[in-house]
Structures are given as structure tokens and as C-alpha cells.
Amino acid sequence: MSAAEISSAEPITGLILSGGRARAAYQVGVLAGIADLLPAGAPNPFPVIVGTSAGAINAVKLASGASHFCAAVHQLTEFWQGFRSHQVLRSDWAGVVHQAGRFVGHHLMGIGSRVPVALLNSSPLRDLLNARMDLSGIEHAIEAQHLRAVAVTAFGYESGQAVTFYQGKDSIDSWLRHRRIGLPAQLTVDHLLASSAIPLLFAPIKIEQEYFGDGAVRQSAPISPALHLGANRVLVVGVSGNPRSVEAKAPLHRPTRGAQPSLAQIGGHMLNSTFIDSLESDIELLERLNELSHLLALQQPVRRLGLAPVDVLVIAPSQPLDEIAARHRHELPAALRMFLRGPGATKTSGAGVLSYLLFETGYCSELIELGRRDALAQSDQLKRFLRLA
């Protein structure tokens, strides 16, 4: 990370909300736990908010209500607790069968018009976001100095770039790095849909002259956008098991059965690789750079070397989300359950895919409650990090 990415100004806290579709309900629980720790009427503790995929929806919703942080978190909690699959994608028999037929006909047989087609039809999500998202609050929060910037990242299919669209103060400069750029923009629902469009599962979204998909696909440095936007300390809310736990660092020797993996099991690992691995690698890199900056501090001012330390706090699920998803698989609509049964997503071994697609009240509510508990379990660290009395 360059010197330009790390600000030497007063502490500015950035919030990183990673991708993960339905898994992003966990982030809402963490935010609810943080809201519980804040005093009544406390201002937004995160001047910089960055989101990817479903995390982009949470980020923009939170930024839109940054002038009233606790109220915004409450609205976000109600938003996720009321989720049903039909609000996010066509989950009825006619919708599922029609979309699957279009996908096979267009991509495998070359039949049909040249329009973006995916396995699932996510048009209901556009209607939901248009009805429930008031993006005008972002500009108001910036003018009131309750927010410095909010950003969402999407992947450009033609350029191969991870593009971070940000809305913030005029003093924030755009940036260009290897396969990742930052562009100022007036954020819209299209940016949110593009950032959360998982390849093959959901259709890409056209923004200006290019089609975009899920921002996690080529996002090699998920923390970097927050630093470009001025943050010099970051709270990262992940959607996988905490990589810093003792159990995660110890080698695992799980018994194996030698069974051939199902399509859902393969897909689950691919989704984890897309949404989780880059973030965990970036956290590890940032921590090593912090250690290096401390070692060099006695030699010369580290800011001249572009190695100013960046405080980082990570909150991640204390329980495997795929196991939680497996317990709630009965909540899936019948048509969607039938569609996912063949690849093995309704089995315990393939529940990784299910954990990303299970937009149902029971599952999302359990993730929210888990996030709240995990945040309160780290209340002392959060109070120190956010400098709460």
C-alpha cells in the first residue's frame, strides 16, 4: 500500500463490508451490536464506508442514514429481517423454469436475443431497492459532515478492472492501480445491482458503456479503497470464520470419505474463494505491514516510506454459516429447492452455495442475532477502537 493510500491526518475510521449475498445479514447484526454500544444520539462512527456485493447494499443504506446512525441500523435490521426469496429473485415455478430455459437456450444452444442471461432472475431485487433505498440521504450526510465518503466496487467484464465507484467530498482524488481504479460517481441502484451480480447466477448490469458484475471477482485489495478515501483505521466485518482464531491457524485433519464432490460443493468453494480469500489475504498483508512499520519506527519516520500503520479490527462469524444455512434449507420455496437439489445445494455438503442464496426470514434473522452476539463479545475491543468512553 502506497503512501498516497495512507493518510497522516486525524484518525478517520473506515468500515469494510465484504460480499456474500445472503451472508451479508451477519453484517447487519454486527452493526446492531455496535449501535447498542453507542450512547444515545451518537454520530456516525464511520466517516468512510466501503461495501462490495451485498455489502454494498448495506454500505449505501447505512451511508444514506449516516446523519442518524442508530436509526439507520434499525431500518437496515428490519430490511433484512423481512427478507423472502421472492423479493430478491424469481423463486416461483414459472420464473425458475423460464429463466433456466433461457440460460440453456442462449448460452448452450445460441438461441434467443443477445441479452445478458443468468441462471437466476434477480429483477425483483431492483424493484425492492427502488422502493426501499433513498440515496438522496448520502449527499445530505456529506454536507452535514456526518460522512466523508461511501463506495461500492464492481467488476468490469470488458476492462477486467475492479472499479470502485465512490460518492464523497470533492477533495477526494480518483486513483489508478493494477486492475483496480476509483471513480467519483453519483451512486444509484444500478451500482448496487452491479456490485452484487454474482457471475453466471445473476445477470451483469450495464453502467454507461460497460457491463459490470460482482465486485469481489477481481478485488485483490478489498481494504485499499477505504484508505484511498482517507481512512487510516478500519473495522472489517467478514462473512467467514474468523481467520485469526487459534482454531483457524491450527492445521485441520478432518476425516474424509473419499466421496466425489457435488456441483454445489465445488461451487461453494468457488464462491468462498471469490468473497472471502482476498479479504483475509489483505488483512494478513496489512497486519504484516503494520509489524514492519513498528520495526522501522526506530530507524526513521515510517510515513516517508509509505508504511504508516493502519489499525485494523476484524469481526467475523463465530459459527460456520453453511451449517446454519443447512438447518434452514426447508425455508426455500419449492421451485428453488427443486432447482438447487440436483447440484446438491440442499445437502449438508453443498450448503456453502445455499448460505449465499437463502434469502429467508429465519436464516437472515439467525445471522443477524449471531452478528450482534459476536460484536458484543468484542465490546471492549470495539470501545477502544471507536474511542467510546
Side-chain angles (χ1 to χ4, degrees):
M1 299 178 185
S2 68
E5 293 176 335
I6 301 178
S7 173
S8 60
E10 290 298 316
I12 298 176
T13 305
L15 175 65
I16 311 293
L17 300 176
S18 60
R21 274 283 170 165
R23 287 183 174 217
Y26 174 83
Q27 300 169 351
V28 178
V30 172
L31 293 172
I34 293 173
D36 289 343
L37 298 176
L38 295 176
N44 170 36
F46 306 109
V48 174
I49 305 175
V50 176
T52 304
S53 191
I57 297 175
N58 290 340
V60 170
K61 182 72 172 175
L62 191 63
S64 300
S67 297
H68 306 281
F69 179 78
C70 290
V73 172
H74 179 71
Q75 292 176 4
L76 196 56
T77 303
E78 289 186 333
F79 179 71
W80 278 90
Q81 284 180 333
F83 255 140
R84 297 295 299 273
S85 293
H86 70 267
Q87 296 176 299
V88 180
L89 48 89
R90 286 288 302 271
S91 57
D92 58 296
W93 282 105
V96 170
V97 172
H98 176 68
Q99 190 68 14
R102 291 184 68 199
F103 182 85
V104 173
H106 179 74
H107 289 290
L108 300 184
M109 303 176 66
I111 301 174
S113 59
R114 297 186 60 82
V115 295
V117 177
L119 275 169
L120 300 172
N121 182 345
S122 60
S123 57
L125 181 59
R126 177 183 291 276
D127 297 333
L128 178 66
L129 295 180
N130 281 327
R132 301 289 295 273
M133 302 285 284
D134 180 13
L135 303 187
S136 63
I138 296 176
E139 193 61 36
H140 174 75
I142 294 172
E143 292 176 354
Q145 298 185 356
H146 294 136
L147 181 71
R148 175 180 174 85
V150 58
V152 303
T153 300
F155 166 67
Y157 279 100
E158 189 172 354
S159 65
Q161 298 271 16
V163 181
T164 298
F165 299 98
Y166 66 89
Q167 186 173 344
K169 292 185 175 181
D170 294 335
S171 59
I172 300 175
D173 295 327
S174 58
W175 63 88
L176 172 62
R177 296 293 183 270
H178 179 63
R179 293 202 176 278
R180 49 189 175 93
I181 62 178
L183 297 176
Q186 190 80 19
L187 295 180
T188 67
V189 167
D190 278 344
H191 292 97
L192 305 184
L193 292 171
S195 181
S196 58
I198 300 175
L200 296 182
L201 291 180
F202 301 99
I205 303 297
K206 192 173 185 180
I207 299 177
E208 296 183 356
Q209 301 302 315
E210 186 174 9
Y211 280 98
F212 287 87
D214 201 296
V217 172
R218 295 296 292 272
Q219 194 177 33
S220 58
I223 298 176
S224 179
L227 305 184
H228 280 291
L229 296 172
N232 45 29
R233 53 211 303 271
V234 292
L235 172 65
V236 180
V237 184
V239 292
S240 71
N242 193 336
R244 308 157 87 164
S245 66
V246 175
E247 293 82 1
K249 290 182 179 179
L252 297 178
H253 299 285
R254 295 176 178 173
T256 59
R257 296 176 295 131
Q260 183 175 347
S262 66
L263 183 60
Q265 196 171 4
I266 294 172
H269 286 296
M270 293 178 66
L271 288 172
N272 289 342
S273 176
T274 299
F275 290 109
I276 296 171
D277 292 355
S278 294
L279 178 62
E280 294 182 350
S281 297
D282 209 26
I283 293 171
E284 183 178 5
L285 174 61
L286 183 58
E287 290 179 332
R288 290 187 177 184
L289 288 176
N290 284 341
E291 293 175 359
L292 179 60
S293 68
H294 289 310
L295 291 175
L296 294 175
L298 299 177
Q299 306 297 323
Q300 56 183 309
V302 294
R303 294 191 187 277
R304 295 180 185 176
L305 302 174
L307 290 175
V310 177
D311 290 338
V312 57
L313 177 63
V314 180
I315 299 180
S318 58
Q319 299 177 22
L321 301 193
D322 52 351
E323 293 182 6
I324 297 176
R327 294 201 301 268
H328 289 273
R329 56 192 169 202
H330 64 277
E331 297 180 18
L332 274 176
L336 200 56
R337 187 163 59 246
M338 179 67 71
F339 179 77
L340 295 174
R341 181 180 299 166
T346 57
K347 298 179 180 178
T348 302
S349 61
V353 169
L354 193 63
S355 69
Y356 289 92
L357 301 177
L358 190 53
F359 289 96
E360 294 294 335
T361 301
Y363 174 64
C364 291
S365 296
E366 185 167 347
L367 294 196
I368 291 172
E369 181 56 32
L370 176 63
R372 184 193 295 270
R373 290 200 309 268
D374 288 348
L376 294 179
Q378 297 191 51
S379 58
D380 292 340
Q381 298 96 309
L382 278 169
K383 288 178 180 179
R384 286 194 297 268
F385 187 80
L386 298 176
R387 302 187 177 184
L388 302 177

